[in-house]
Amino acid sequence: MPGPKRKYSVRFPPGRIKKIMQRDTEVGRIAAAVPVIISRALEMFLKSLLTKTSQVTQSKHSRVISVAHMKQCIETEKVFDFLRDLVEQASAQSSLGKGKWPAHRKKWQDISINAKQHEAAERMKRPQNDSLDAAELSDVGICFEDELGS
């Protein structure tokens, strides 16, 4: 009889990690604890990487972590040597698409401005007094009479 399921407090879902592991044809059965351990190791790795990157960001007197800060962190820290190839690939790809983000952002702002103008135009079309008058209420069957006088 199987025991009760345990609830693990990890940030990365063990089920998803198990699916990723099973994509590899060489991986057979996976013990239940393995995805949980990998999830925890991933948390610790990311915490280390982001802490070191935030130190680089603060040393540059910036408030926003950028790809350049992460690249500098990976190049200076010996622990992250295995990521150097990824950084070089990412920097090559980012140089190809340089300048696209501001254009996209401009289009997005134009769309939001047009939507706001459309909403304002709709508000102007509506009648100022949205309350129903007595004739409309009598059609519905609501009658307002003075309770004291009738």
Side-chain angles (χ1 to χ4, degrees):
M1 185 165 125
K5 283 197 169 192
R6 294 183 185 153
K7 197 72 171 170
Y8 300 104
S9 61
V10 290
R11 296 182 195 273
F12 299 97
R16 175 133 340 150
I17 292 172
K18 186 175 180 180
K19 285 180 184 177
I20 292 170
M21 290 175 69
Q22 287 176 337
R23 285 183 186 169
D24 189 353
T25 56
E26 294 180 11
V27 175
R29 297 185 70 189
I30 301 169
V34 172
V36 176
I37 293 169
I38 290 176
S39 176
R40 183 68 178 130
L42 183 57
E43 285 178 43
M44 292 168 60
F45 166 73
L46 284 174
K47 182 177 180 181
S48 171
L49 177 63
L50 292 174
T51 302
K52 303 275 184 179
T53 304
S54 70
Q55 290 172 354
V56 170
T57 303
Q58 290 172 354
S59 71
K60 299 279 187 183
H61 303 291
S62 180
R63 300 176 96 190
V64 179
I65 293 176
S66 70
V67 176
H69 296 142
M70 193 166 282
K71 181 179 178 181
Q72 183 181 353
C73 174
I74 290 170
E75 289 174 350
T76 57
E77 294 293 325
K78 205 164 194 154
V79 178
F80 305 122
D81 278 345
F82 67 98
L83 295 173
R84 286 183 184 230
D85 295 336
L86 286 172
V87 168
E88 290 172 6
Q89 290 173 0
S91 62
Q93 288 176 353
S94 67
S95 65
L96 292 175
K98 200 169 189 175
K100 286 186 178 180
W101 171 246
H104 171 72
R105 187 168 152 196
K106 178 121 173 86
K107 289 178 188 174
W108 179 78
Q109 287 175 343
D110 291 344
I111 291 170
S112 66
I113 290 170
N114 289 340
K116 288 179 183 177
Q117 289 173 348
H118 179 69
E119 288 175 11
E122 286 295 320
R123 272 190 246 122
M124 295 298 286
K125 289 180 185 176
R126 290 185 204 149
Q128 293 296 326
N129 189 2
D130 286 339
S131 63
L132 299 174
D133 61 350
E136 291 174 349
L137 290 175
S138 64
D139 291 342
V140 179
I142 300 173
C143 182
F144 289 104
E145 296 179 14
D146 188 9
E147 293 178 14
L148 297 174
S150 38

